[in-house]
Amino acid sequence: VQAPPKPPRKVYHKGFFPMWGILDTYLGYGRMMDAETRNVIKAIYTENDGVPLYKGSTSNLSMLAGVNLHLVLKTWGLESLCPYVRKDIIPKDVDRSKFLTQRITHIARYGSGEYASRPYSGYNLLPLLTLYKHAGPEMKQKALMAYELSLAHAAPTWLRGHWSVASGRSYPAPYG
């Protein structure tokens, strides 16, 4: 009789927004981090149930989630994830590449849905740069093209350094 898998260790993290930045920093500068810091960061992504699976409820959160899972699997592999997570994602779009390709294509064609949302526009666009820096060649090229096209799409909305139009989720100062 095999013992049931132990529940995943809860590694403290401060919500979903910082997780993309932590991963981007780890992938870019992890080689300069001490072993304990690298291990804690890996544990945040691989030992928490649901953290890599969270799909997000808005365009920015779903983009962050897709990028995170794609790069977590590229970095540490499916087997590194806790059993609860592996069981839930194996039959689905495992590395979120199908989802990311669809989102990137949409962004390239229509721009970011939150281009004028001061607090969230970065969370929609900057994950594309993370993919450009750390994904495989095909995803890297798509991400860069979508990023540049999204900037071109938003350019007419600027007036002397300020947003001149609003998107569906636009916020006034003091958020900008």
Side-chain angles (χ1 to χ4, degrees), residues 14-90:
K14 294 282 280 180
F16 203 73
F17 284 111
M19 291 191 69
W20 154 72
I22 292 168
L23 185 61
D24 185 65
T25 301
Y26 176 88
L27 294 173
Y29 303 100
R31 65 192 177 285
M32 296 180 224
M33 296 175 183
D34 61 74
E36 182 180 356
T37 302
R38 285 194 309 270
N39 289 336
V40 167
I41 291 172
K42 180 181 178 184
I44 288 171
Y45 295 94
T46 61
E47 296 183 23
N48 275 305
D49 60 341
V51 170
L53 278 182
Y54 178 71
K55 290 188 174 91
S57 57
T58 63
S59 66
N60 61 67
L61 288 175
S62 61
M63 187 65 173
L64 294 171
V67 169
N68 280 350
L69 183 57
H70 182 78
L71 294 174
V72 162
L73 291 174
K74 182 179 180 286
T75 303
W76 293 298
L78 183 64
E79 290 305 312
S80 70
L81 300 180
C82 73
Y84 299 104
V85 174
R86 285 197 313 264
K87 179 178 135 291
D88 286 341
I89 67 171
I90 287 174

Side-chain angles (χ1 to χ4, degrees), residues 84-157:
Y84 299 104
V85 174
R86 285 197 313 264
K87 179 178 135 291
D88 286 341
I89 67 171
I90 287 174
K92 299 177 183 145
D93 181 17
V94 176
D95 68 353
R96 303 294 283 152
S97 59
K98 181 179 177 184
F99 164 80
L100 287 171
T101 298
Q102 290 170 344
R103 280 298 299 280
I104 288 169
T105 300
H106 180 84
I107 291 169
R109 287 184 182 154
Y110 306 107
S112 171
E114 295 184 282
Y115 57 88
S117 174
R118 290 178 180 105
Y120 298 121
S121 59
Y123 293 118
N124 280 283
L125 293 178
L126 295 177
L128 294 170
L129 291 182
T130 298
L131 286 174
Y132 173 69
K133 291 187 297 186
H134 306 295
E138 186 177 337
M139 185 71 70
K140 174 183 283 213
Q141 186 64 32
K142 290 177 185 178
L144 182 61
M145 288 171 47
Y147 176 78
E148 291 175 349
L149 288 167
S150 190
L151 291 179
H153 176 79
T157 68

